[in-house]
Amino acid sequence: MSGGSGARPTVVVVGAGFGGLRATRALRKAPVQVVLLDRNNYHLFQPLLYQVATAGLEPEQIARPVRAILRRQRNVEFRMVDVTGADLAARRLETNAGPVPYDYLILALGGETNFFGLESVARHGFGLKNVNEAVTIRNHVLTCFERAMLEPDAERRRARLTFVVVGGGPTGVEMAGALSELIRLVLVKDYPRLNLKDVRVLLLEATDRLLGPMPERLREAAGATLWRKHVEVRFGATVADVDGSRVRLKSGEVIPAHTVIWAAGAKAAALGAQLGLPTARQERVVVQPTLQVEGHPEIYVIGDAAYLEVQGKPLPMMAPVAIQMAETAARNVIRTLRGERPEPLRYRDPGSLATIGRNAAVAHVFGLQLRGFPAWVMWLVVHIIQLIGFRNKLFVLLNWAWDYFFYERAVRLITRE
Ligand SMILES: Cc1cc2nc3c(=O)[nH]c(=O)nc-3n(C[C@H](O)[C@H](O)[C@H](O)COP(=O)(O)OP(=O)(O)OC[C@H]3O[C@@H](n4cnc5c(N)ncnc54)[C@H](O)[C@@H]3O)c2cc1C
């Protein structure tokens, strides 16, 4: 590969998530050679990770090999490498498999869990950002039930059967709803001796509201639905520390619980800051409206890793932002090659959705506010459409239909402890 000496300029894209993949595809007809780098050999559909964590789907159903996705694209080469650093002046990335030179660089690094410096939570809590973490949660939750069945002491048994989800954003709400349903609709059949009174699912939120940016009516509907599904929602509850068998809140209250799932924060992947690029809140790299980094017009940062304010507010860390940024960045690379000026991102907010288990969701889309069954159907359709690959769509649909009609969750295996 050439770093500028070949006939076609080289565009290196880091990250095969929503942003990186879309940018790569948007460059398919451009007179460039694209080199796509990711530490994993697959593209992951993160919005369904919580279903892997709650034994509803298998990881393979929400991920697809990058090479299979890009098989037909001629001007791309994929390399499974970890990007570890860069010499920005020399336009060269450092990876665990040697240097990779570029003419243009699109960084689509995504995000990671933000524990806000709470070391005990990072050590004993569970994040939900990748396949490993989702499978770890599944194994842990199922193991808690096995251990609880062997535990003669009632208090210790209850601690094993208390599941604390922290963070009332979409991930926390979806996780808490799905966990409660897994227990009350499915595990209850596997553990006939289980006393449901011993089981608690708590959703802790530090502020006074769930699903912050949603309209009030939908936020209230989400809260009411969670209560109906036996999730104890606590507002003004801030976690101070966790030790693996109990959670201590800032108020001093102690909740005996072996499981803390942390959905309370995200920040940009570490690499952006490590490269010395300017960062803002959540360690996201500050970009100009054209998505270029100031002083480095050849570098674009997109998706969760990028910080850009639109109408005075930072764009959220969500898939539609990454996808729209990817299209703008790819277009700007092409415009620059033609000698035209790069254009600013014109972000169109498609709205947001969150499901709360069977037949229940809230949706704020196209100016409409939906809840209950219609919102749930919309959620299903949107997610099936967005999943990559016909096979994945088919298997996820079949899985959902089976679980819906038979009150089942197929993946109840403890594959490691
Ligand atoms: C549990 C969960 C649920 C979510 N639900 C929703 C939802 O319902 N709706 C929604 O819109 N958004 C949702 N999101 C957010 C959405 O997934 C992200 O906004 C989106 O994935 C961002 O895309 P991206 O391209 O910036 O990063 P990602 O899709 O995260 O991709 C980043 C890629 O970069 C790679 N990478 C990072 N660093 C390196 C490195 N140093 N070397 C090599 N490779 C590297 C990673 O392996 C990864 O493949 C959810 C996120 C999570 C975690």
Side-chain angles (χ1 to χ4, degrees), residues 14-20 37-40 42 44 46-47 49-50 81-84 108-111 128-129 171 174 269 271 302-305 317-320 322 353 383:
V14 185
F18 282 100
L37 311 177
D38 200 299
R39 60 164 68 101
N40 298 314
Y42 53 82
L44 174 66
Q46 291 173 5
L49 262 182
Y50 80 94
V81 295
D82 210 324
V83 179
T84 50
L109 304 165
L128 183 61
K129 274 282 174 197
T171 302
E174 295 191 334
L271 187 68
I302 62 174
D304 286 3
M317 293 167 88
M318 285 179 65
L353 297 153
H383 283 73

Side-chain angles (χ1 to χ4, degrees), residues 60-78:
E60 303 84 276
Q61 294 171 334
I62 63 161
R64 196 161 146 75
V66 177
R67 289 182 188 279
I69 300 170
L70 297 173
R71 201 175 277 159
R72 291 205 192 88
Q73 186 167 335
R74 293 253 174 105
N75 67 342
V76 63
E77 181 199 338
F78 173 70

